[in-house]
Amino acid sequence: MGSIAILGAGNVGQAIAGHMSFKGHHVRVFDRWGRDLEPIEANDGIDMTGDVEGHGTPSVLTTDLAQAVSGAEVVIVAAPAFAHAYLSRELASVLEPDQLVLFQPGVLGSGVELARMFAIAGRRPCLIAETPTSLYTCRLRRPAHVYIGAIKHAVPLAAVPSADTPRALDILRPYFDDRYVPGEDTLTVGLNNCNPIYHVPPAVLNFKTVEDADGHPLHTLVTPRIAEVIDALDRERLALAEALQVKAASFWDFLNTAYGVTEGSFVERVVQGYGRQGFPEPDSIRHRYFTEDIPFGLVIWSSLAAQIGLSLPLTDAFVALSGPLCGQDFVAGGRTARSLGLLGSDVHGIRAAFIDGVV
């Protein structure tokens, strides 16, 4: 049995912590403020329903990051994207070269950001990897009770530098079997994160239901015309990938890979992929579909595109519209070429950072 640290005690963090401890691994769970740890302690662990039925009891619950990661073979970052910069700064000062950090999921640039923090700290980096989406499709039904709607069949993973990917997969296999599969590199993996594609258009274009906190399942808000907007936004992401000389799968291909959905109209495929989970839409402007998918999804796509002279008008429109709707400056608070140390980079410079870990 292995030793694994989970950073973040939200939906994904509790799903992984519950499942890994249920399988017999030594699990530590870190939460910066400790609030999400209290129900786990009171429940003596995490109850799981859905694809996994059982009860897992993590060995350690802590607000001390160093305690959580010290000696852990694998460190899973399952915190929201807006916490990645803070965690990367802190991890760069405490992790050792033989440890593996997996952003699960990452957003475009998570691995590059951590590698940059190690360079700034003047320390040899640990093994760094990321995925475009979570292996677990899950939601907390109530504190310390997580519903796992699906464990995806295959999720690509890549390391920074990409030559380290096979080693990362070997380390993760005893924990997650062969569900992580080789990704080309973190630029490809990052640009295959489809969360903003599916989450942002229905949330923004049905904004009254957000303000009213109606809680409709998100897939029920995808009309035929909104599905066309999803497809158009996706085509801009694919254009960015092509310009950066990487291959990204379409959102519709992702539904096939993750959930086995292959046929039907756009709306029908969304329902087949997400209907059985029935997860609710955002119920406030602080929901991660806004606070994560826009500043750490759409914004970094737009920022990298600007470095190479590529226009993403629909992406930019959603960023511009979402700011006033949510009362936030998503560009100022998001991930950009500047925050990754890539301001002024051309295609070669961007690829070198993501593929070779050179910033």
Side-chain angles (χ1 to χ4, degrees), residues 11 15 70 115 149 164 167 200 205 230 251 255 315 321-322 333 335:
N11 297 307
S70 178
D164 286 338
R167 184 157 61 99
V200 175
L205 299 176
I230 289 173
F251 172 64
L255 289 182
T315 302
L321 180 59
S322 300
R335 178 172 291 162

Side-chain angles (χ1 to χ4, degrees), residues 11-12 16 19-20 27 39-40 83 92 100 104 119 152 161 186 203 225 228 236 243 271 275-276 285 296 299 307 314:
N11 297 307
V12 174
I16 299 174
H19 191 204
M20 291 298 102
V27 177
I40 301 173
L100 166 63
Q104 203 280 146
K152 297 183 178 75
T186 60
R225 297 312 311 163
E228 292 292 342
E236 289 194 349
V271 172
R276 70 172 176 148
I285 59 176
F296 299 95
V299 166
Q307 304 309 299
L314 186 56

Side-chain angles (χ1 to χ4, degrees), residues 48-244:
M48 295 166 290
T49 57
D51 260 17
V52 179
E53 299 276 345
H55 182 87
T57 304
S59 305
V60 176
L61 305 174
T62 183
T63 58
D64 185 327
L65 184 63
Q67 180 190 18
V69 305
S70 178
E73 181 181 33
V74 175
V75 177
I76 303 285
V77 178
F82 53 74
H84 287 187
Y86 157 76
L87 288 171
S88 289
R89 285 193 300 270
E90 297 299 312
L91 289 171
S93 68
V94 297
L95 289 176
E96 299 300 328
D98 61 344
Q99 293 179 282
L100 166 63
V101 168
L102 173 61
F103 290 91
Q104 203 280 146
V107 289
L108 185 63
S110 293
V112 170
E113 186 170 62
L114 178 55
R116 183 169 183 252
M117 290 301 107
F118 272 108
I120 290 172
R123 300 186 71 235
R124 182 181 166 194
C126 65
L127 181 57
I128 303 168
E130 63 184 79
T131 66
T133 185
S134 171
L135 184 63
Y136 295 76
T137 302
C138 55
R139 289 294 187 277
L140 287 167
R141 294 303 195 197
R142 59 185 186 277
H145 293 74
V146 63
Y147 170 71
I148 300 176
I151 302 178
K152 297 183 178 75
H153 303 310
V155 169
L157 174 149
V160 179
S162 58
D164 286 338
T165 298
R167 184 157 61 99
L169 291 170
D170 286 343
I171 293 171
L172 291 167
R173 192 166 291 113
Y175 299 93
F176 302 101
D177 302 320
D178 290 316
R179 291 180 183 266
Y180 289 121
V181 299
E184 187 71 22
D185 50 64
T186 60
L187 185 57
T188 304
V189 164
L191 282 169
N192 272 286
N193 185 335
C194 291
N195 284 343
I197 298 298
Y198 174 54
H199 294 160
V200 175
V204 171
L205 299 176
N206 290 278
F207 198 76
K208 184 178 187 301
T209 65
V210 176
E211 293 183 297
D212 293 344
D214 288 341
H216 298 298
L218 187 68
H219 70 276
T220 67
L221 300 179
V222 180
T223 67
R225 297 312 311 163
I226 290 177
E228 292 292 342
V229 174
I230 289 173
D231 184 62
L233 186 64
D234 195 37
R235 281 187 272 112
E236 289 194 349
R237 177 183 63 91
L238 296 175
L240 174 60
E242 183 178 6
L244 292 173

Side-chain angles (χ1 to χ4, degrees), residues 297-314:
L298 301 187
V299 166
I300 184 59
W301 297 350
S302 175
S303 183
L304 291 181
Q307 304 309 299
I308 59 174
L310 178 67
S311 176
L312 305 181
L314 186 56

